[in-house]
Amino acid sequence: MPAKLRLTALLLLVSACCAASTSTAAKNEAKPPNIVVFLVDDMGVMDTSVPFLTDEAGKPKRYPLNDYYRTPGMERLAARGVRFNNFYAMSVCSPTRVSIMTGQNAARHHTTNWINPRSNNRGPLGPLDWNWEGLTKADVTLPRLLEGAGYRTIHVGKGHFGADGFEGAEPLNLGFDVNVAGASFGAPGSYYASQKFGRGTKRAHHAVPHLEKYYDTDTFLTEALTIEAKSRVDDAVEAGKPFYLYFAHYAVHAPFDSDPRFADHYKDSGKPAPAQAFATLIEGMDKSLGDMLDHLDKLGVADNTLVFFLGDNGSDAPLGHQHEVACAAPLRGKKGAHYEGGMRVPFIAAWAKADGNNPHQQRLPIAAGTVQPQLGAVYDLFPTILGLTGVEAPSDHVVDGRPLDSLLTAKADSSRDETFLMNYPHAPHRSDYFTVYRNGDWKVIYHFYPSPQSEGSHYQLFNLADDPFEQKNLAETEPARLKSMMKGLIAEMDRHHAQTPVDKADGKTPLKPQLP
């Protein structure tokens, strides 16, 4: 072949290769990332075999509860991604769930208590106009924004976004294309299909909907929801749609129905029957996580799917007193309490399968097998997911969360404030009428109505660096620090337009937190 023709052929070949490469890159770029939020009910940071707490060198440190629970699926996900040892949720469930949906702190969106679906549970002195009704069709929500960007938005499991008869009771009103099992209530009627998941029992008002096909079988609720989640992901992939799967297990919320698949693992543990049942719920949830990871692999979408695993509030393990070091040992307290055990939750973020050629993984290279010590919170998911998917929230929608991108790559982010505000102006619960404010290593709790659970004082102050398990109240010995922290708490409450309990003298005047 003459040299000129050889050169022409070579140029055509290079041009074709470049075009093919560009086409492949464009094709990869054109596939938005899939998102899975895997949310576990009432699972605290210690309810797992994955150690989240660390030693003085920042290395994961095991405690006895890590050797009691069995969570190989979480271990697998943690090995692929980053876990946070200072990740916060609200102390009860509905506030956290609305925060994930809106990117707002509960102090701002005013759903500050769990939603009793049938009656307003503000408490005897709770704020008169707290958001018991829940989310509405008009609210800006994460699934609604993603749905508008072409995502198939899938809700499987617990909703608890609004009370009976209001729009938030139905996830389809909130931007989800699909709703399986979501309703106004938070606790399932039963985990057993043989009991129709509560229908026909004394807890029929909490019967889990949409699962009639499993009635009178031996399918446990956690397994039924997993089957449904896999099926809905199948539909999205077959339709060529990116998906947002919000998979919110009812597990491990009471009633503590033992999952028979795992009961033998705990029968010789020496722990009481309810604690053994709780552990089976943990293991069943973990099997669901592993099954979902396997299914994403099978569908060939794991490399383009980002998984966020987290709990919605502190542990509800039935292992001891709610204000002591017991249920979440070595942390103090549990779900509903003002101590760390009430609001520290497990959080893992990982690509379901590592692939350095995936453009989204190149932009967000999550550091495998790492622990992030910097503080994060549930409302940070909203801006993180929107940023990754290229979707913008309306400019007039206030977002309290900050993107987690740098933290997910195991780097520090000096632009983030190391603060967290948790407002619970309600009663009765394990702790009543309180607000928590953390700033760096310091944590202050303001009790609007002092009680034995607040040591008879308005104030509790802890240094979490020196006293991570909250054994020494420094409110009396560190008056300057207490005053500084209380100024910060009041400023944050004002910034979020937080509600407070009312004065018992007239039952309507909002109380204001007082400086010491």
Side-chain angles (χ1 to χ4, degrees):
M1 178 184 296
K4 186 174 181 180
L5 288 178
R6 286 201 302 272
L7 178 60
T8 300
L10 179 61
L11 290 174
L12 288 173
L13 179 61
V14 169
S15 177
C17 290
C18 289
S21 176
T22 301
S23 175
T24 300
K27 183 179 178 181
N28 288 337
E29 192 69 33
K31 291 182 179 179
N34 306 306
I35 306 294
V36 175
V37 171
F38 194 101
L39 181 62
V40 189
D41 199 1
D42 288 357
M43 182 188 184
V45 73
M46 297 305 301
D47 301 333
T48 170
S49 58
V50 176
F52 281 83
L53 303 189
T54 55
D55 60 19
E56 295 80 3
K59 302 297 183 182
K61 182 176 180 178
R62 300 190 69 82
Y63 289 90
L65 285 178
N66 296 132
D67 295 324
Y68 173 58
Y69 294 109
R70 298 172 182 237
T71 54
M74 289 181 65
E75 292 174 19
R76 176 178 165 192
L77 190 68
R80 297 180 181 184
V82 60
R83 68 192 112 148
F84 283 47
N85 68 354
N86 282 286
F87 199 83
Y88 284 91
M90 308 303 145
S91 67
V92 290
C93 53
S94 296
T96 286
R97 291 162 191 272
V98 176
S99 289
I100 293 172
M101 292 281 277
T102 63
Q104 296 179 338
N105 190 303
R108 187 183 304 282
H109 62 61
H110 294 171
T111 297
T112 40
N113 200 5
W114 65 276
I115 294 173
N116 185 323
R118 298 194 291 178
S119 61
N120 187 328
N121 55 316
R122 73 178 183 93
L125 299 170
L128 299 176
D129 58 345
W130 79 287
N131 189 15
W132 169 66
E133 296 178 7
L135 289 169
T136 72
K137 290 181 178 179
D139 285 322
V140 173
T141 67
L142 180 58
R144 197 185 316 281
L145 294 172
L146 293 175
E147 180 189 40
Y151 274 75
R152 177 74 57 84
T153 52
I154 306 165
H155 181 285
V156 176
K158 172 176 170 173
H160 213 188
F161 300 121
D164 281 349
F166 296 100
E167 293 171 353
E170 172 53 74
L172 295 178
N173 290 330
L174 307 177
F176 286 106
D177 299 318
V178 176
N179 172 36
V180 179
S184 62
F185 53 81
S190 169
Y191 283 90
Y192 299 125
S194 60
Q195 296 180 351
K196 299 180 172 59
F197 304 119
R199 184 174 295 179
T201 72
K202 63 181 180 180
R203 291 176 53 81
H205 60 292
H206 280 203
V208 181
H210 314 139
L211 300 177
E212 291 80 3
K213 70 175 75 170
Y214 302 98
Y215 285 1
D216 301 318
T217 70
D218 61 359
T219 309
F220 203 74
L221 175 58
T222 307
E223 179 70 10
L225 294 178
T226 306
I227 295 169
E228 293 298 311
K230 291 193 291 186
S231 175
R232 296 320 192 275
V233 169
D234 286 346
D235 294 342
V237 172
E238 185 176 347
K241 301 267 286 185
F243 60 84
Y244 169 63
L245 171 63
Y246 177 86
F247 190 2
H249 273 293
Y250 282 95
V252 292
H253 198 292
F256 300 138
D257 292 337
S258 180
D259 189 331
R261 297 174 294 174
F262 310 106
D264 284 349
H265 293 167
Y266 307 97
K267 66 180 181 180
D268 298 323
S269 65
K271 289 186 166 48
Q276 293 183 39
F278 183 87
T280 71
L281 294 174
I282 289 284
E283 190 165 356
M285 167 283 302
D286 184 81
K287 179 183 182 299
S288 172
L289 174 64
D291 289 349
M292 288 305 303
L293 293 176
D294 289 342
H295 197 65
L296 295 171
D297 277 332
K298 178 182 176 183
L299 292 175
V301 297
D303 64 316
N304 204 43
T305 302
L306 182 55
V307 179
F308 295 101
F309 176 101
L310 70 159
D312 71 340
N313 47 241
S315 175
D316 198 31
L319 285 171
H321 192 276
Q322 57 211 26
H323 290 146
E324 300 301 327
V325 174
C327 310
L331 297 180
R332 186 175 181 181
K334 67 184 299 188
K335 170 188 175 179
H338 55 281
Y339 296 110
E340 292 293 280
M343 55 200 76
R344 287 265 286 278
V345 298
F347 177 79
I348 305 171
W351 292 101
K353 180 181 179 181
D355 181 0
N357 293 319
N358 181 283
H360 302 299
Q361 294 198 35
Q362 291 172 352
R363 282 199 298 271
L364 186 62
I366 294 177
T370 57
V371 179
Q372 174 57 257
Q374 233 178 305
L375 188 151
V378 290
Y379 40 74
D380 292 328
L381 287 181
F382 183 95
T384 303
I385 292 171
L386 291 186
L388 181 65
T389 57
V391 179
E392 294 186 1
S395 59
D396 59 350
H397 178 70
V398 178
V399 177
D400 293 312
R402 297 285 303 277
L404 294 168
D405 297 41
S406 292
L407 303 188
L408 297 180
T409 62
K411 298 175 183 175
D413 186 347
S414 61
S415 71
R416 292 178 63 91
D417 294 329
E418 291 293 287
T419 61
F420 176 69
L421 182 72
M422 217 309 295
N423 187 43
Y424 188 79
H426 303 279
H429 212 289
R430 286 158 183 156
S431 298
D432 299 336
Y433 305 123
F434 70 92
T435 301
V436 168
Y437 175 60
R438 178 172 176 179
N439 187 347
D441 292 331
W442 288 91
K443 172 180 174 179
V444 67
I445 307 105
Y446 182 76
H447 299 269
F448 288 87
Y449 287 103
S451 67
Q453 67 193 23
S454 72
E455 302 179 80
S457 171
H458 281 296
Y459 311 104
Q460 289 178 295
L461 179 69
F462 298 100
N463 185 314
L464 297 179
D466 298 335
D467 180 25
F469 311 136
E470 299 172 288
Q471 296 299 299
K472 188 176 182 180
N473 180 6
L474 302 175
E476 292 187 3
T477 59
E478 295 277 356
R481 177 69 67 172
L482 175 63
K483 189 170 185 177
S484 172
M485 287 294 292
M486 279 302 302
K487 285 182 177 178
L489 180 148
I490 292 169
E492 282 297 280
M493 290 188 74
D494 289 345
R495 187 172 73 84
H496 287 86
H497 306 289
Q499 296 176 316
T500 68
V502 297
D503 193 328
K504 64 175 63 174
D506 62 12
K508 61 181 181 181
T509 302
L511 287 177
K512 296 297 182 183
Q514 301 297 313
L515 285 175

